[in-house]
């Protein structure tokens, strides 16, 4: 009943911590009932109100239905009156990019190239037209909240042109509205470059739920993982081979969550060097976590396979086994990440080779091909291998009736594999087959709560909690055991001796000796 109560409490805790903020977040971010999007409007600094409901501002007349008030500021739907394009920086600024950092807006002492706006304008694919100099009106400021990337005019896939209505059109007929791109000059050049916003459907409830729930789920998991690491590190009885492997696996998952949370919350404003570092850290720690789960799967499979040499089962061999396991579980991800770093950063690598391109578009892989090659394929191979070992172990488990502790460990690892392996498998499937994000929302959220599941399976156990109580309050626990033993002494010496032995079974070696004396 104790574990059931803990499970119910955890469930209610999740509802309170996750559900309530989600409701308030979605309600606070509902789309406003305005005649145009805020990013398609301008603030009216000198409004003149007319009796017919129109507003005049700096020579532009906004009829009724073409203006609105937001947070006490009057705004006019400029793009409903004229074709608009957006300038990334303010009117008297341009982009300057220093190697190793993202482009920043700085004051432009020279005449702006936007004063003689000369980008080619097309009416239709391949049909260029001449427009008046004041055909487009400029909106100012970067609205790409999740980040943006620059289009390369030399790249065939980035070929684009500006339409007369202010939209950007690509060769594949895909269009970008004015709120999904901006134009700017770089380092004082007269050439105007196009920057495309990373996908952001902040008005979509599913995406808003992801932006809130994913970091929140990881923030809930992080203290659970930290507690698990501390408990399995301080208790002598748990500092065995399996406890050490679990600590390494939890450490990897904790670092992965830290990196992902930073990427989710601050990815759009991180400097390039930090963004690349976070991406490589996530790649390494996630892969290392997969390999440590593979180590635990292998160790339990080897125990039941009958192929393990007798000398490897001795307690003195645990240290050597852990060193070998560490060499494998830390070394393999290090090899993969080293290859990724070399290919991504070495200038001599030809463009024909698939590169991770960390930091180019976001703090992760720029293209799905790179993610598949450097991340999902290694993870998938490990998951398939783990599945084989667990199935093989389960099929032979019934013939090992004498290995009680091994069975308990197997079932613990099986739960761990189901929680982590199944979630990672679904994550790979979501990457491969795609589909609506709402379909994968639950599985992705479960991925962020793996730390909570590990805490429940490996810490919220009666024997672990008893060991923890004895370690933190040994005198109190010893006194309670003594009182309980004395309370049943009337049942006879034989009964008392049995109860004394039961009490001693829960104590560490030092406490047992004290009690015996």
């Amino acid at each position: 009943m104790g574990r059931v109560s803990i499970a119910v409490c955890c469930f209610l805790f999740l509802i309170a911590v996750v559900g309530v903020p989600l409701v308030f977040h979605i309600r606070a971010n509902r789309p406003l009932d305005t005649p145009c999007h805020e990013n398609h409007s301008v603030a009216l600094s000198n409004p003149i109100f007319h009796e017919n409901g129109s507003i005049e501002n700096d020579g532009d007349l906004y009829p009724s239905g073409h203006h609105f008030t937001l947070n006490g500021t009057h705004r006019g739907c400029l793009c409903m009156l004229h074709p608009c394009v957006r300038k990334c920086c303010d009117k008297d600024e341009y982009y300057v990019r220093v190697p190793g950092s993202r482009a920043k807006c700085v004051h432009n002492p020279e005449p702006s190239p936007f004063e003689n706006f000369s980008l080619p304008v097309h009416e239709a694919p391949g049909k260029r037209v001449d427009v008046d100099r004041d055909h487009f009106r400029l909106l100012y400021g970067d609205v790409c909240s999740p980040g943006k990337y620059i289009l390369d005019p030399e790249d065939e896939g980035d070929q684009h042109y500006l339409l007369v209505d202010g939209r950007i059109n690509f060769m594949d007929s895909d269009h970008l509205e004015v709120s999904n791109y901006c134009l700017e000059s770089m380092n004082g050049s007269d050439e105007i470059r196009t920057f495309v916003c990373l996908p952001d459907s902040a008005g979509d409830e599913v995406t808003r739920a992801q932006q809130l729930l994913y970091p929140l789920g990881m923030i809930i998991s992080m203290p659970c993982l930290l507690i698990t690491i501390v408990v399995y590190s301080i208790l002598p009885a748990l500092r065995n081979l399996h406890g050490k492997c679990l600590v390494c696996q939890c450490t990897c998952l904790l670092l992965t969550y830290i990196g992902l949370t930073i990427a989710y919350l601050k990815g759009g404003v991180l400097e390039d060097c930090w963004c690349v570092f976070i991406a490589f850290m996530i790649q390494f720690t996630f892969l290392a976590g997969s390999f440590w789960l593979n180590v635990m799967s292998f160790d339990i499979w080897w125990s039941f396979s009958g192929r393990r040499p007798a000398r490897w089962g001795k307690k003195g061999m645990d240290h050597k086994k852990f060193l070998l396991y560490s060499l494998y579980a830390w070394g393999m991800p290090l090899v993969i990440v080293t290859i990724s770093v070399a290919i991504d950063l070495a200038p001599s690598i030809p463009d024909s080779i698939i590169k991770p391109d960390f930091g180019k578009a976001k703090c992760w892989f720029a293209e799905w091909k790179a993610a598949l090659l450097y991340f999902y394929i290694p993870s998938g191979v490990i998951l398939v291998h783990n599945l084989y070992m667990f199935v093989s172990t389960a099929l032979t488990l019934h013939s090992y009736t004498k290995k009680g502790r091994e069975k308990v460990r197997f079932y613990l690892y099986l739960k761990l594999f189901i929680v982590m392996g199944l979630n990672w498998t679904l994550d790979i499937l979501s990457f491969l087959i795609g589909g609506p994000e709402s379909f994968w929302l639950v599985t992705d959220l479960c991925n962020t709560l793996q730390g909570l599941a590990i805490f429940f399976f490996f810490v919220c156990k009666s024997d672990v909690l008893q060991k923890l109580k004895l370690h933190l309050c040994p005198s109190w626990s010893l006194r309670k055991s003594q009182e309980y033993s004395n309370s049943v002494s009337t049942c006879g010496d034989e009964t008392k001796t049995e109860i004394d032995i039961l009490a001693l079974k829960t104590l560490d070696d030092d406490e047992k000796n004290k009690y015996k004396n």
Side-chain angles (χ1 to χ4, degrees):
M1 291 298 294
R3 300 191 68 182
V4 174
S5 301
I6 293 174
V8 173
C9 291
C10 291
F11 179 72
L12 295 177
F13 174 76
L14 285 178
I15 292 178
V17 174
V18 177
V20 174
L22 174 62
V23 172
F24 280 99
H25 180 77
I26 292 177
R27 287 175 62 88
N29 290 275
R30 286 179 178 173
L32 298 174
D33 184 17
T34 57
C36 67
H37 195 282
E38 178 186 1
N39 293 339
H40 295 183
S41 66
V42 294
L44 305 181
S45 56
N46 302 299
I48 300 175
F49 299 90
H50 296 278
E51 294 182 356
N52 59 3
S54 62
I55 298 180
E56 185 177 355
N57 186 82
D58 294 340
D60 291 314
L61 182 65
Y62 299 90
S64 177
H66 288 65
H67 56 83
F68 60 96
T69 302
L70 180 64
N71 298 327
T73 301
H74 297 288
R75 303 190 67 88
C77 298
L78 183 63
C79 300
M80 295 178 67
L81 305 178
H82 310 279
C84 294
V85 294
R86 178 169 290 278
K87 187 177 182 297
C88 301
C89 298
D90 287 337
K91 185 175 182 180
D92 58 347
E93 295 180 335
Y94 64 88
Y95 269 145
V96 170
R97 181 168 186 173
V98 178
S101 63
R102 297 191 178 186
K104 296 182 179 180
C105 294
V106 299
H107 177 69
N108 180 17
E110 304 295 331
S112 171
F114 285 86
E115 294 182 4
N116 296 305
F117 196 75
S118 59
L119 280 180
V121 180
H122 292 72
E123 187 176 38
K127 187 177 180 181
R128 183 172 175 176
V129 294
D130 294 326
V131 296
D132 295 335
R133 182 176 176 180
D134 58 351
H135 175 77
F136 293 108
R137 301 297 296 272
L138 288 177
L139 302 174
Y140 298 100
D142 185 3
V143 294
C144 299
S145 56
K148 58 185 178 296
Y149 61 95
I150 188 171
L151 295 180
D152 184 0
E154 303 298 328
D155 188 340
E156 183 177 352
D158 285 352
Q159 296 296 316
H160 63 283
Y161 50 88
L162 181 64
L163 295 175
V164 292
D165 59 3
R167 294 182 299 169
I168 294 291
N169 189 70
F170 290 90
M171 296 305 177
D172 58 2
S173 300
D174 188 23
H175 292 81
L176 289 178
E177 300 291 339
V178 68
S179 58
N180 299 120
Y181 77 92
C182 62
L183 307 172
E184 194 53 78
S185 60
M186 294 284 293
N187 300 324
S189 171
D190 289 336
E191 180 184 9
I192 297 177
R193 304 291 297 274
T194 303
F195 295 79
V196 177
C197 300
L198 293 174
D200 176 27
S201 50
D204 180 75
E205 292 190 359
V206 173
T207 302
R208 294 207 310 274
Q210 291 174 340
Q211 293 171 345
L212 173 69
L213 291 180
Y214 291 175
L216 182 59
M218 290 184 284
I219 290 173
I220 293 173
S221 285
M222 283 189 272
C224 295
L225 289 169
L226 184 59
I227 293 173
T228 304
I229 294 170
V230 171
V231 168
Y232 274 75
S233 298
I234 66 174
L235 294 181
L238 300 180
R239 287 202 298 267
N240 51 24
L241 175 63
H242 319 297
K244 292 177 181 178
C245 292
L246 181 64
V247 167
C248 291
Q249 206 275 336
C250 290
T251 302
C252 293
L253 194 57
L254 176 62
L255 293 175
T256 301
Y257 282 157
I258 293 174
L260 287 173
T261 301
I262 295 174
Y264 261 104
L265 300 179
K266 297 294 183 180
V269 298
L270 285 176
E271 297 287 344
D272 282 355
C273 56
W274 283 108
C275 189
V276 172
F277 172 78
I278 291 292
F280 279 121
M281 186 187 82
I282 295 173
Q283 182 193 20
F284 175 77
T285 55
F286 193 101
L287 289 176
S290 300
F291 278 97
W292 273 111
L293 184 59
N294 184 240
V295 162
M296 292 186 281
S297 305
F298 170 79
D299 189 71
I300 195 69
W301 170 81
W302 206 21
S303 298
F304 283 97
S305 65
R307 304 172 186 177
R308 185 177 68 177
R311 63 186 182 88
W312 280 96
K314 296 180 180 180
K315 185 176 181 180
M317 296 300 297
D318 283 357
H319 181 67
K320 293 183 178 179
K321 284 194 292 184
F322 181 70
L323 290 178
L324 291 176
Y325 288 160
S326 299
L327 182 64
Y328 166 76
W330 296 120
M332 291 300 295
L334 184 61
V335 170
I336 297 173
V337 172
T338 301
I339 294 173
S340 302
V341 171
I343 293 178
D344 195 33
L345 303 181
S348 59
I349 301 296
D351 293 336
S352 58
I353 302 297
I354 299 177
K355 298 182 178 182
D357 284 332
F358 285 144
K360 181 178 180 181
K362 52 185 177 180
C363 300
W364 195 230
F365 297 98
E367 297 183 355
W368 69 269
K369 292 180 180 179
L372 179 66
L373 179 62
Y374 299 107
F375 185 75
Y376 285 104
I377 287 181
S379 299
V381 171
I382 292 298
L383 286 175
V384 171
H385 188 212
N386 290 346
L387 179 61
Y388 162 76
M389 289 188 291
F390 273 109
V391 171
S392 175
T393 304
L395 292 176
T396 58
L397 182 62
H398 65 278
S399 62
Y400 288 82
T401 56
K402 295 183 180 180
K403 294 192 176 182
R405 291 185 178 179
E406 298 293 337
K407 279 189 176 182
V408 172
R409 185 159 55 93
F410 168 75
Y411 286 122
L412 279 175
Y413 287 174
L414 181 61
K415 292 176 184 178
L416 182 65
F417 173 73
I418 292 174
V419 170
M420 304 187 69
L422 180 61
N423 285 331
W424 290 348
T425 301
L426 292 174
D427 184 51
I428 293 175
L429 289 178
S430 68
F431 169 79
L432 294 176
I433 67 179
E437 293 184 352
S438 58
F439 182 79
W440 302 105
L441 179 61
V442 175
T443 60
D444 290 342
L445 180 59
C446 290
N447 263 331
T448 67
L449 294 172
Q450 291 179 41
L452 183 63
I454 292 175
F455 174 76
F456 177 70
F457 287 141
F458 288 89
V459 177
C460 296
K461 299 169 51 184
S462 58
D463 59 331
V464 174
L465 294 177
Q466 181 69 13
K467 289 183 176 68
L468 186 61
K469 182 177 67 173
L470 291 171
H471 183 80
L472 298 178
C473 304
S475 58
W476 181 84
S477 300
L478 189 61
R479 184 169 59 253
K480 294 294 288 184
S481 298
Q482 181 69 48
E483 291 173 357
Y484 178 68
S485 177
N486 292 336
S487 67
V488 295
S489 60
T490 57
C491 296
D493 293 338
E494 183 178 352
T495 303
K496 180 179 183 298
T497 302
E498 291 177 356
I499 294 175
D500 286 344
I501 293 173
L502 290 175
L504 285 171
K505 285 183 178 180
T506 63
L507 302 179
D508 293 335
D509 293 338
D510 294 338
E511 286 139 2
K512 287 179 182 179
N513 294 331
K514 292 179 184 178
Y515 185 58
K516 289 177 181 179
N517 295 331

